[in-house]
């Protein structure tokens, strides 16, 4: 039975048994797939407006695709397709106006252990964009781009040289090498370590760093680069994907969302509880290695990328994830040749006070890379999903009837 057929069958029965999860007035949401390339250029994709026409564009690999139809391909760096049996030199893409000239630039993290470089938007002119290498080594397979310091500007959050930390520029000279600020001692993490994220775990208004073996508490002052306090928690043994601190159950405490194994199985949220000053995190499995471990009968492997976005406008953030296709080729890892699915999991807080994650099927022939990004690229106010991976470059445009 295909993933879609299995999900549909089980979901019908679940709708009968758990009617709270299926509101009668819920709109029917579907996704229209646009494939912008069938070649392997990158493991990530991002969203920006590179020509300042008011329409969102998509960047993946050496190209950006002009919205709103994404039919026109623009080359910003030398194009080089990769063999799907190997790896690319482009694992993560982010966008930001790095030189404050009013035009979105492109930030790329290469293969784990390689550099971070940004490409300067030529302000609507054709040709190759100027590349600025700003960090020699970005380690971890889930580095991110987020404002961890609270200064209103994002930083590269990663590890390097065995240390967790963040890199930020002198914003008056962003093309010069960025300074790396260590938040930990040398804890032995290396370029292929999995699992990393940013969030306010303890509710003090400061962003903390999340990783597979715990969370690092940001101190009141960052002057002189102090070592942050580590709170050991076994969030995932092998390390999964991006990690998020979010109040899942609405009790006022930040919980933690991640996948368990980037190349195996498992999607989980850890409920935070407090006893005085002591914090405890209890695992609540969303997906496991078998269909029986999910109330809707959903399972898939290699959840190497996660985004957390309110997909349906109900005020609660939902999980977007899927299968990374051929992470280590056709014979590596768990079920490498199973359908490359993409799902979003709708967060429901039921009237009985329980949490439910309702799966919504998006596609079974694209998957995710080391990155998946949700954002409104169609201009209708609904988040869409963009990915780059060994199957190509895709956008999934959200459409709905009803609300």
């Amino acid at each position: 039975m295909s993933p879609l057929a299995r999900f549909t069958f089980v979901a019908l029965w679940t709708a009968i048994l758990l009617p709270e999860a299926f509101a009668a007035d819920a709109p029917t949401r579907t996704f229209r797939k646009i494939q912008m390339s069938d070649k392997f250029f990158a493991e990530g994709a991002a969203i920006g407006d590179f020509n300042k026409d008011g329409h969102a564009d998509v960047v993946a690999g050496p190209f950006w695709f002009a919205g709103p139809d994404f039919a026109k391909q623009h080359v910003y760096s030398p194009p080089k397709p990769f063999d799907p049996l190997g790896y690319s030199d482009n694992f993560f893409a982010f966008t930001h106006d790095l030189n404050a000239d009013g035009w979105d630039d492109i930030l790329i993290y290469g293969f784990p252990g390689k550099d971070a470089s940004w490409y300067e938007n030529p302000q609507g002119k054709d040709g190759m964009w100027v590349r600025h290498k700003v960090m020699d080594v970005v380690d971890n397979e889930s580095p991110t781009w987020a404002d961890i310091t609270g200064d209103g500007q994002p930083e590269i959050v990663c590890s390097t040289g065995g240390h967790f930390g963040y890199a930020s520029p002198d914003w008056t000279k962003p093309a010069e090498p960025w300074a790396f600020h260590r938040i930990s001692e040398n804890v032995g993490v290396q370029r292929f370590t999995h699992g990393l994220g940013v969030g306010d775990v303890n509710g003090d208004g400061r962003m903390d760093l999340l990783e597979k073996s715990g969370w690092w508490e940001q101190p009141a002052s960052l002057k002189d680069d102090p070592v942050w306090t580590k709170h050991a928690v076994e969030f995932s043994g092998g390390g999964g994907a991006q990690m998020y601190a979010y109040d899942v159950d609405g009790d006022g405490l930040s919980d933690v969302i991640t996948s368990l194994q980037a190349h195996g199985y498992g999607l989980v949220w850890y409920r935070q509880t407090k006893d005085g000053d002591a914090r405890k995190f209890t695992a609540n499995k969303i997906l496991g290695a078998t269909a029986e471990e999910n109330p809707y009968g959903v399972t898939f492997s290699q959840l190497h990328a996660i985004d957390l976005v309110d997909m349906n406008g109900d005020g609660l953030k939902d999980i977007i994830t899927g299968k990374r296709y051929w992470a280590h080729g056709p014979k590596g890892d768990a079920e490498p040749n199973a359908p490359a699915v993409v799902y979003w999991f709708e967060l429901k807080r039921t009237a009985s006070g329980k949490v439910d994650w309702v799966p919504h099927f998006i596609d079974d022939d694209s998957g995710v890379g080391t990155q998946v990004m949700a954002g409104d690229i169609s201009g209708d106010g609904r988040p869409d999903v963009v990915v780059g991976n060994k199957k190509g470059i895709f956008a999934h445009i959200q459409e709905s009837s009803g609300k």
Side-chain angles (χ1 to χ4, degrees):
M1 185 181 292
S2 72
L4 178 57
R6 181 174 61 194
F7 164 69
T8 302
F9 175 79
V10 177
L12 287 173
W13 279 106
T14 306
I16 297 171
L17 298 174
L18 298 174
E20 287 180 292
F22 293 85
D25 60 347
T28 301
R29 298 178 184 273
T30 59
F31 288 80
R32 173 171 54 90
K33 182 166 70 174
I34 300 174
Q35 184 166 13
M36 290 165 273
S37 174
D38 61 358
K39 301 294 190 299
F40 175 37
F41 288 100
E43 293 278 7
I47 300 165
D49 182 3
F50 305 115
N51 53 4
K52 293 185 71 171
D53 66 351
H55 296 290
D57 310 309
V58 173
V59 57
F63 310 113
W64 67 271
F65 301 86
D69 59 8
F70 313 103
K72 188 171 183 181
Q73 172 185 286
H74 300 261
V75 180
Y76 75 89
S77 68
K80 175 186 169 185
F82 295 90
D83 184 344
L85 296 176
Y87 305 97
S88 76
D89 62 4
N90 188 313
F91 264 51
F92 296 87
F94 302 95
T95 62
H96 192 76
D97 180 7
L98 286 153
N99 56 358
D101 66 351
W103 295 76
D104 282 346
D105 306 302
I106 298 168
L107 176 65
I108 298 295
Y109 305 167
F111 188 78
K114 299 296 184 180
D115 67 274
S117 297
W118 68 274
Y119 293 80
E120 185 175 348
N121 193 323
Q123 300 185 356
K125 302 179 182 68
D126 291 327
M128 299 294 104
W129 296 19
V130 175
R131 177 186 178 186
H132 304 286
K133 187 168 83 167
V134 293
M135 192 174 177
D136 288 332
V137 176
V138 174
D139 286 339
N140 197 282
E141 292 204 27
S142 312
T144 191
W145 172 242
D147 180 11
I148 194 171
T149 64
D151 66 354
Q153 293 277 24
E155 293 88 23
I156 296 173
V157 182
C158 64
S159 58
T160 190
H163 303 261
F164 288 110
Y166 61 92
S168 57
D170 174 345
W171 286 100
T172 67
K173 298 177 287 187
E176 295 187 1
W178 296 7
F180 182 72
H181 303 269
R182 298 173 177 175
I183 72 156
S184 76
E185 303 290 354
N186 188 334
V187 291
V189 289
Q190 42 84 25
R191 60 179 177 164
F192 298 126
T193 299
H194 292 71
L196 197 64
V198 172
D200 183 2
V201 177
N202 58 356
D204 64 359
R206 296 187 291 269
M207 293 293 104
D208 307 304
L209 184 141
L210 292 153
E211 46 99 355
K212 66 177 184 176
S213 68
W215 62 280
W216 297 78
E217 181 180 351
Q218 182 173 161
S221 172
L222 296 178
K223 184 180 179 182
D224 299 326
D225 289 343
V227 171
W228 298 15
T229 300
K230 181 181 180 179
H231 302 272
V233 182
E234 191 70 19
F235 285 126
S236 60
Q242 291 79 10
M243 302 177 69
Y244 299 91
Y246 181 67
D247 184 3
V248 171
D249 55 1
D251 67 355
L253 297 174
S254 292
D255 310 300
V256 174
I257 296 169
T258 190
S259 61
L260 291 174
Q261 297 180 27
H263 302 288
Y265 297 91
L267 180 64
V268 66
W269 70 279
Y270 292 86
R271 181 172 185 259
Q272 181 180 172
T273 55
K274 284 188 68 179
D275 183 3
D277 292 331
R279 298 175 187 274
K280 181 180 178 181
F281 292 85
T282 303
N284 293 268
K285 190 179 292 185
I286 303 169
L287 295 181
T290 65
E292 289 73 25
E293 295 174 75
N294 176 263
Y296 302 91
V298 174
T299 185
F300 52 87
S301 64
Q302 303 198 60
L303 290 75
H304 209 304
I306 297 173
D307 203 358
L308 190 69
V309 174
D310 181 0
M311 291 292 287
N312 57 357
D314 66 354
L316 301 178
K317 290 188 177 182
D318 310 300
I319 297 171
I320 302 92
T321 188
K323 177 185 179 66
R324 182 182 173 199
Y325 179 73
W326 277 17
H328 295 133
K331 297 181 180 180
D333 307 315
E335 297 186 288
N337 298 303
V341 297
V342 184
Y343 276 87
W344 71 278
F345 291 82
E346 180 183 2
L347 173 57
K348 290 278 193 180
R349 296 174 183 159
T350 67
S352 59
K354 296 181 179 179
V355 166
D356 192 19
W357 294 94
V358 181
H360 298 275
F361 177 84
I362 295 176
D363 187 54
D364 64 359
D365 194 22
S366 55
V368 300
T370 52
Q371 181 183 31
V372 60
M373 185 173 290
D376 180 16
I377 62 172
S378 65
D380 64 358
R382 304 184 187 100
D384 310 299
V385 179
V386 296
V387 295
N389 56 33
K390 292 183 177 182
K391 280 185 171 285
I393 300 169
F394 302 88
H396 299 286
I397 309 300
Q398 184 177 172
E399 299 174 332
S400 71
S401 61
K403 285 185 182 176

